[in-house]
Amino acid sequence: MKIHHVLLFTAGTTFKPTNSFSARHCDLRRRSDQNVETILFSNDKSKNGDVSGYRPGSLMAATLETGRVPYGEESRKYRRTVFTSADWVKHRNTENDIVSNLKGVFFSGVVRQLKEEILLVSVIAVTVVLWNDFFATSLHDSLAVPLPQLILPSLPFTLSSPALGLLLVFRTNASYARWLEARNAWAKILSQSRNMVRMAATFTFAEKKDPESQESIEYLACTVWLLSRSLMNDLSGTEDEESYRKELNEVFSNNDALIVNMCNSSDRTMSALACCSQALNSIPIDEKLRVETDKSLVLIGDCIGVCEKIFSSPVPLVYTRHTGRFLSVWMVLLPSALYKSFLVPGNDSLFSSTMLVPAVALVALFLFGIEELAIQLEEPFSVLPMQNFCDTIRESASVLACWSIDDA
């Protein structure tokens, strides 16, 4: 669907905002109060059942509700953290921090995501121990040819470990920088959306306040929300489609043409941007003031470009693949290099180096875990609480659109 189709129906369709948008604002307020109540009574089992003590929507709460630990792609929707004051208080409480961290290892989604890598390295370590302690030693007397032991010198690993560490650090830093840039872009989208509605309402109501002006401001508030929500939809997978259409029908319940054209648009973000631009253009204010207000829309467009850049361009694949291969080879060969370090002096019994297996498994967990963190952060939008951002824009725009000096 071309963008000019959006312009046609927005210009020809009369938008009659009822009290539904304000009612939705009140509904958002109620839901916010309910969330606060949930947090305040999170330690009350009578109110929260099995998820008491955990933030609603968190990974741990989902684990207790479903009876299993979500991991991989399934866990990403539970990592869209939005903190409240109660969460910060709990976050700063370091009492029994070591115990909590050790207990959390068994529930970690990262650990479950890496179970194949850890299992492979552990099997190799068991093979090294069995071969060196049993086959190459105990069966040596019964064979005419001595069997070689699976032992490598540790010097190459000592020399290469700084290079591996740098690769992992750079990889993690690059992924975190992408997450931070995406978060900053959404913060700017949120603030500039508020600015645009605030300035438009202030400039309009300073000259006159009549039903027509109020209608145009409320329509602008709706299109400002539509822009952020359409961007979220373009940055999300197909699982957001149903929710997007439902919210569109709620906000534009009396504008079927807009709903149809937005749902059929090949680029919903650009269609929403055009829709928002025309809504701003239809507001009865001085041209200089309109240009000043439009600067916020220009900044939102720049942030959309930033989000599209991050979403379409991963960290260079050659870097990611080389780091993964380096780490995989290094970890596969590590048990043979550490074997001598775990031999007990003066202990000739079999399996004297069995502690090599858990030690190598822990090293694999930590190093592969660092790489996994980088992979999880590389695409930041599926772990950012974009729905919360859009709901905040919707609520703020409603407040600003309905506010006037007479209401104070």
Side-chain angles (χ1 to χ4, degrees), residues 53-196:
Y54 298 102
R55 178 171 41 83
S58 66
L59 188 64
M60 195 61 190
T63 300
L64 294 175
E65 288 177 351
T66 61
R68 59 188 184 86
V69 180
Y71 64 93
E73 287 298 317
E74 184 185 358
S75 69
R76 294 182 72 81
K77 62 183 178 181
Y78 300 112
R79 302 187 186 279
R80 299 164 187 169
T81 308
V82 179
F83 262 33
T84 64
S85 58
D87 294 315
W88 281 114
V89 170
K90 185 176 181 180
H91 183 69
R92 289 191 295 266
N93 183 14
T94 58
E95 185 179 356
N96 297 326
D97 220 15
I98 295 180
V99 177
S100 300
N101 290 336
L102 293 177
K103 288 170 60 179
V105 172
F106 301 101
F107 297 97
S108 173
V110 174
V111 175
R112 293 170 180 266
Q113 184 76 2
L114 298 173
K115 60 183 179 182
E116 292 183 2
E117 290 87 343
I118 298 174
L119 179 61
L120 175 61
V121 173
S122 300
V123 168
I124 293 174
V126 170
T127 303
V128 169
V129 172
L130 288 176
W131 180 267
N132 292 340
D133 285 0
F134 182 72
F135 292 102
T137 302
S138 301
L139 300 180
H140 173 68
D141 297 336
S142 60
L143 298 175
V145 179
L147 296 175
Q149 289 189 317
L150 299 177
I151 297 177
L152 293 175
S154 61
L155 182 60
F157 293 85
T158 303
L159 295 177
S160 62
S161 58
L164 177 60
L166 287 175
L167 283 174
L168 290 174
V169 167
F170 290 156
R171 176 84 169 86
T172 307
N173 284 348
S175 297
Y176 177 74
R178 290 166 59 85
W179 180 91
L180 184 61
E181 188 177 16
R183 181 63 184 89
N184 289 337
W186 269 97
K188 187 172 290 187
I189 290 172
L190 198 155
S191 63
Q192 294 303 326
S193 296
R194 290 168 171 167
N195 285 341
M196 187 162 60

Side-chain angles (χ1 to χ4, degrees), residues 245-258:
R245 292 174 180 267
K246 179 181 178 182
E247 291 182 41
L248 217 60
N249 279 285
E250 289 178 358
V251 177
F252 298 98
S253 57
N254 58 346
N255 198 336
D256 294 337
L258 187 147

Side-chain angles (χ1 to χ4, degrees), residues 22 32 84 115 167 169 204 220 235 264 370:
S22 300
S32 176
T84 64
K115 60 183 179 182
L167 283 174
V169 167
T204 302
L220 176 64
L235 297 175
N264 293 335
I370 294 174

Side-chain angles (χ1 to χ4, degrees), residues 118-318:
I118 298 174
L119 179 61
L120 175 61
V121 173
S122 300
V123 168
I124 293 174
V126 170
T127 303
V128 169
V129 172
L130 288 176
W131 180 267
N132 292 340
D133 285 0
F134 182 72
F135 292 102
T137 302
S138 301
L139 300 180
H140 173 68
D141 297 336
S142 60
L143 298 175
V145 179
L147 296 175
Q149 289 189 317
L150 299 177
I151 297 177
L152 293 175
S154 61
L155 182 60
F157 293 85
T158 303
L159 295 177
S160 62
S161 58
L164 177 60
L166 287 175
L167 283 174
L168 290 174
V169 167
F170 290 156
R171 176 84 169 86
T172 307
N173 284 348
S175 297
Y176 177 74
R178 290 166 59 85
W179 180 91
L180 184 61
E181 188 177 16
R183 181 63 184 89
N184 289 337
W186 269 97
K188 187 172 290 187
I189 290 172
L190 198 155
S191 63
Q192 294 303 326
S193 296
R194 290 168 171 167
N195 285 341
M196 187 162 60
V197 178
R198 175 187 58 82
M199 288 188 290
T202 302
F203 297 152
T204 302
F205 296 155
E207 298 180 2
K208 61 178 180 177
K209 184 177 181 182
D210 52 27
E212 184 179 353
S213 300
Q214 183 72 37
E215 177 182 318
S216 62
I217 294 297
E218 289 194 14
Y219 180 64
L220 176 64
C222 291
T223 58
V224 166
W225 167 84
L226 176 64
L227 179 55
S228 62
R229 190 60 183 85
S230 298
L231 176 61
M232 173 188 167
N233 179 257
D234 285 342
L235 297 175
S236 304
T238 55
E239 68 276 0
D240 182 60
E241 186 63 22
E242 182 180 353
S243 177
Y244 176 77
R245 292 174 180 267
K246 179 181 178 182
E247 291 182 41
L248 217 60
N249 279 285
E250 289 178 358
V251 177
F252 298 98
S253 57
N254 58 346
N255 198 336
D256 294 337
L258 187 147
I259 296 173
V260 171
N261 281 272
M262 286 301 304
C263 291
N264 293 335
S265 175
S266 59
D267 191 338
R268 290 172 175 175
T269 302
M270 290 300 101
S271 297
L273 182 62
C275 201
C276 188
S277 181
Q278 180 154 3
L280 178 60
N281 190 57
S282 66
I283 293 177
I285 57 175
D286 181 75
E287 192 62 29
K288 291 182 179 180
L289 298 178
R290 192 192 317 281
V291 171
E292 190 67 26
T293 307
D294 187 67
K295 291 180 180 178
S296 292
L297 190 58
V298 172
L299 292 175
I300 293 176
D302 293 340
C303 294
I304 291 173
V306 171
C307 292
E308 291 174 343
K309 175 197 71 173
I310 296 173
F311 189 72
S312 61
S313 303
V315 174
L317 296 179
V318 61

